[in-house]
Amino acid sequence: MEEDQSSGLAAETQERKHDNGVNDNPEDPGSNGISSLEQPLLKRSNTLTASHLAMVGAKVSHIESLDYEIIENDLFKHDWRSRSNVEVLQYIFLKWALAFLVGLLTGVIASLINLAIENISGIKMLHMVQLVREKRYWAGFFYFSGFNFGLTFVAAVLCVVFAPTAAGPGIPEIKAYLNGVDTPNMFGAPQLIVKIFGSICAVSSGLDLGKEGPLVHIGACLANLLSQGGSGRFRVRWKWLRYFNNDRDRRDLITCGASSGVCAAFRSPVGGVLFALEEVATWWRSALLWRSFFSTATVVVVLRGFIEVCRNGRCGLFGEGGLIIFDVSDVTVNYTFGDLLLVTLVGVIGGLLGALYNYVLHMVLRLYNLINAKGRMAKLTLALAVCVFTSAGLYVLPFSVPCTPCDPAFGAACPSNGMSGNFKQFNCPAGHYNDLASLLHATNTDATRNIFSTGTSGEFRLDSLLIFFAIYCVLGLITFGIAVPSGLFLPIILMGAAYGRIVALVLENVARIDHGLYAVLGAAALMSGSMRMTVSLCVIFLELTNNLLLLPMTMFVLLIAKTVGDAFNPSIYEIILDLKGLPFLEPKPEPWMKDITVGELAAAKPRAISLQVVERVSTIVHVLRNTGHNGFPVVDRPRPGLSELHGLVLRSHLVAVLKKRWFLPEKRRTEEWEAREQFSSVELADKSAKLDDVDLTPDEMDMWVDLHPLTNTTPYTVVETMSVAKAVVLFRSVALRHMLIMPKYQGPEISPIVGILTRQDLRGHNILGAFPNLANKKKAH
């Protein structure tokens, strides 16, 4: 992230006055500052400060912003004008080809992950049940716990040692990336590999987590690696990929990857696109909509192909269930006004429980951050301790409920001794089943299918559902945050489905809707109450359950739950973003931001460091060494006494000039062909070059650099009287990294630039730190 303009520039540089009349000293009366404003609105502190560290995965990292804005300098304009029709077609074809490959690979990897989880979990469950049937209870416990312990150990070691940023779901970091925050080491090959194998081990170990969040991260990793031709030493320098050597096209492809990941998790192509639009993407357009839909359609075709290939047990225990995971289409949905009152109750409870879940999880994550900060052994110990507690609870709790006789209406399906099935016999005699074991001794997908099952209103006892709801609430809270790949979707769905069934059982005398449908509505309500999604969740549940008649009630319950949850706290992902310190810009600015102008905000920072259009090499080196800024305003002086803003030059472009030693012995403006001979668009897109790699002689330090060809002559500028609220909307809407502030009045000896704002400057808590009096206005609002 761009450091504040107090980043250590030497005093003489702060106080000098450029030949073009730009004064860098804020104390000098000739500097403009906020002189065009009659007086400041609010009392302010001396500086606007911000932290540039954040938690990425489970690792503290230095963060930067991304350059989504098109840098319209002379070199870019020439490169764009000189592209032939063939090159333009290559670029368009490559975008669609990469979108197809993202969908194809995401579908293949998701199918293989599902295959591995189903078979590993199936083998574990079958052997454990066999030991229980033989009444070897302690052997069954140690086998079950040891198996889970080993799988968790592998998942945790992979995350702790090889890729700390692969821990967790990855969705908050993807949201931040698409919002304009560069989350380092998040989308590389190590993260992809660890996410795949870590997800398999973590989900198979019985931990209360899902593979949905990791699949979204896997799709984003694939998109990033494909757009860059690989990672590190294994990167392929393919000529066509030069078109994607920028943050904008990489952002679009990662959006396609996130959509594909959701589609692979829920087999929901439309829901995947809407999830990216509603939840993770900040910037959207129609062309991106079509490519995202193309990617998700490819995923569905691949998943369908794997299901057909694996039918009839040809892939072990994988392949059952078809394309619709939780099919409830066999139920006719008829409801009255009284049923709508019960559905309203489900929505209200979902909003309350979702807000409570977010609050408690926030507290747990704060505690886990303190534990994880102690080092690798602390992270590993925490993960294994949660695994032991989970295994003990899952194994022991089914023994606490009585066996239930099989209803003749259930037929041959009751009891079941296999991995799947609603009526698991477990420790019960012939003709009986253990309803709690049917939920706890299954993968999360199978448990959800069981609790969503229709026509089984008497299958689950109230005490069993209460135990299941309680243990999954506890496990969900203590599992998320440990150093393994994890997802929140299915744990929350299971908790919501359980309380939906509980409501149906408690009010069964007045509830006319099938209990399985109440479970679906409860899951939707809790998801909306915690994650605050509506449209995408509605479509995902529609595609999951294959029951269009349930759509009106699903919409109704989602809106109620979101409204109730919003009254208490933000969504779970917003809480995680804030906890990690990722500078995410919300779509709606705070109301009190209308009470302060960008000119006042800029005045709370040290004066902006400007460069001349033709600048000395020594000045450029000094500025780069003593600041961490990514961009510098470039000021021109067309005639004595008058200065004007020429544009903005990026740090990476200045380093490229120094590395190439493109210096002039005299102060002059170069011709267009001179810069084109030295630089290409590929070279200027490279951000890896560092100033430490450049060693200049004293004679070179005394030479000049013409910044005309490298300067973005069309940066986004605003007048100093604009409110911060309006600036935040503009900054986020067009995905800016820098916003230049112009004075309201211009004239001789007045600086053409008041200041420069970045993402950190527009964040609410940073503004409140610089303007303490705003805190009272915030409370009033």
Side-chain angles (χ1 to χ4, degrees), residues 85-337:
N85 291 335
V86 173
E87 288 178 315
V88 172
L89 288 175
Q90 285 177 347
Y91 174 62
I92 295 173
F93 170 78
L94 189 60
K95 287 197 291 187
W96 285 93
L98 290 178
F100 169 76
L101 287 175
V102 167
L104 177 67
L105 293 176
T106 303
V108 170
I109 290 175
S111 299
L112 294 176
I113 288 175
N114 197 37
L115 188 153
I117 291 173
E118 293 289 324
N119 282 282
I120 293 173
S121 299
I123 292 171
K124 176 185 68 177
M125 295 292 184
L126 289 174
H127 283 80
M128 182 268 291
V129 170
Q130 182 61 34
L131 291 171
V132 171
R133 298 294 301 153
E134 296 172 0
K135 300 188 183 302
R136 299 166 60 188
Y137 299 126
W138 282 107
F141 172 75
F142 286 116
Y143 169 81
F144 183 71
S145 301
F147 204 109
N148 291 341
F149 189 91
L151 290 172
T152 304
F153 179 81
V154 173
V157 167
L158 287 174
C159 284
V160 170
V161 177
F162 298 103
T165 54
I171 293 179
E173 287 83 359
I174 295 173
K175 278 174 65 76
Y177 185 91
L178 297 180
N179 191 254
V181 180
D182 187 10
T183 46
N185 302 317
M186 193 66 196
F187 305 113
Q191 287 70 34
L192 174 64
I193 295 171
V194 169
K195 208 75 174 186
I196 293 172
F197 291 100
S199 298
I200 293 172
C201 293
V203 177
S204 301
S205 69
L207 291 173
D208 186 15
L209 46 81
K211 58 182 181 294
E212 298 73 34
L215 280 175
V216 177
H217 190 188
I218 287 170
C221 289
L222 288 170
N224 179 69
L225 292 173
L226 287 171
S227 67
Q228 302 305 300
S231 176
R233 293 177 298 173
F234 303 100
R235 187 173 181 179
V236 179
R237 302 287 180 179
W238 192 32
K239 182 179 178 182
W240 280 21
L241 287 176
R242 71 183 188 276
Y243 299 131
F244 280 80
N245 197 18
N246 62 81
D247 293 332
R248 284 173 288 105
D249 287 315
R250 193 179 307 131
R251 168 193 62 188
D252 290 353
L253 200 58
I254 286 177
T255 303
C256 294
S259 303
S260 301
V262 174
C263 176
F266 295 107
R267 304 174 195 172
S268 172
V270 181
V273 175
L274 292 176
F275 174 84
L277 171 61
E278 182 180 11
E279 184 62 21
V280 297
T282 297
W283 194 81
W284 197 266
R285 65 187 191 281
S286 57
L288 182 57
L289 175 71
W290 284 109
R291 286 203 300 277
S292 298
F293 186 65
F294 180 56
S295 294
T296 58
T298 305
V299 172
V300 170
V301 172
V302 172
L303 292 174
R304 184 68 190 182
F306 265 87
I307 290 172
E308 291 299 326
V309 169
C310 292
R311 281 201 184 280
N312 302 320
R314 281 179 287 184
C315 295
L317 298 166
F318 172 75
E320 299 299 325
L323 199 61
I324 305 296
I325 302 181
F326 313 125
D327 195 337
V328 294
S329 59
D330 57 338
V331 178
T332 302
V333 182
N334 295 314
Y335 48 89
T336 63
F337 180 75

Side-chain angles (χ1 to χ4, degrees), residues 15-77:
E15 295 175 0
R16 71 184 177 90
K17 187 170 184 177
H18 288 304
D19 294 337
N20 58 14
V22 178
N23 192 341
D24 285 338
N25 184 5
E27 301 299 326
D28 193 299
S31 84
N32 188 43
I34 57 168
S35 59
S36 60
L37 302 176
E38 299 208 353
Q39 31 175 244
L41 238 114
L42 300 162
K43 181 181 178 182
R44 54 182 175 267
S45 62
N46 293 328
T47 58
L48 188 69
T49 58
S51 172
H52 308 289
L53 296 176
M55 289 287 295
V56 180
K59 181 181 179 181
V60 178
S61 303
H62 183 84
I63 54 173
E64 297 278 344
S65 288
L66 294 163
D67 292 304
Y68 288 154
E69 182 184 355
I70 295 177
I71 308 300
E72 291 187 340
N73 54 32
D74 292 345
L75 293 170
F76 169 82
K77 294 174 183 176

Side-chain angles (χ1 to χ4, degrees), residues 466-484:
L466 289 171
I467 292 173
F468 177 78
F469 177 73
I471 188 63
Y472 255 68
C473 284
V474 174
L475 294 180
L477 291 170
I478 67 172
T479 303
F480 190 80
I482 64 175
V484 298

